[in-house]
Amino acid sequence: MKKICTVFLCFSTAAAFAQNVKLETGKKITAVTTATMEMDMGMGGQMKISSVSTGVISIIGTDDKMYKGENTLTKMKISQDGAGQTNSYDSENPADRNSEMGKQAGSMLNLPGAILIDKTDGTVKDANPEKALAGGNPMEDLMGASKSPSATAAAAFFVLPEGKKAGDKWTDSTSEAGIKVIKYFELQSVKDGIATVLLEALTKGSIEKEAESMQMTITINGITKSTILSDLNTGLVKSNTSNGNIEGTLDMMGQSMPITMTINSVTRFE
């Protein structure tokens, strides 16, 4: 009987946490992401990209429902190998700033993007969506280089649904801009106030956008498996490890090219 009561108390403790996100004005969250991507577009269009980027989420205010924040990409180190060429960029190396890659990557640095963080479920959205969605290349979202501040800040928060205990599974889905994502969650364990959550996300749909005066359509079908470690007391994620595979096509200027991508990343939050 004592053992049964102990197990029950452990489950009750897990369910009692993660009611909402708890932050203080002035708090800064540093996110360091290490990522690798391999892409094949056929006809010799193989490319490998590796990167290490650092971003800072600053909490600048609050109201009854939302935290107001800013998300800023502060550092980036990237190398690219493809089409017989190797390019690299290090934001901390002044000599790299005038290179072609340096101009593209550098334009994303040190530009605070306003975000809103829902206190109840940790959902992050752009405070100025018209600025976040203006311009850009649809391939950036697939490679994790979206200019939307909410897209890169969303992984920093995870609120466990109330009443969940180890072994529980649940699903969620979203649909936006032609892309549908179905998420399958499993609460693997709870230990010392840290929840380990397994996530399998299925992504399917198409992105249509004009980039550099060219109309591009990307059709994708992908699966990403992630392991999330989240602090139940605050709703802040400690780390997120993801492995994704994407297949699809790129249609541009009357031509259609097959795409296969493998993306692996680890993000740690402090």
Side-chain angles (χ1 to χ4, degrees), residues 200-213:
E200 184 173 298
L202 306 181
T203 303
K204 191 172 184 178
S206 61
I207 303 170
E208 295 186 4
K209 208 170 192 182
E210 183 176 311
E212 297 180 358
S213 300

Side-chain angles (χ1 to χ4, degrees), residues 178-204:
I179 299 294
K180 183 174 183 179
V181 181
I182 303 175
K183 298 179 180 180
Y184 298 91
F185 297 91
E186 178 182 353
L187 177 55
Q188 186 180 58
S189 64
V190 176
K191 184 178 180 180
D192 299 327
I194 302 297
T196 299
V197 179
L198 305 181
L199 166 61
E200 184 173 298
L202 306 181
T203 303
K204 191 172 184 178

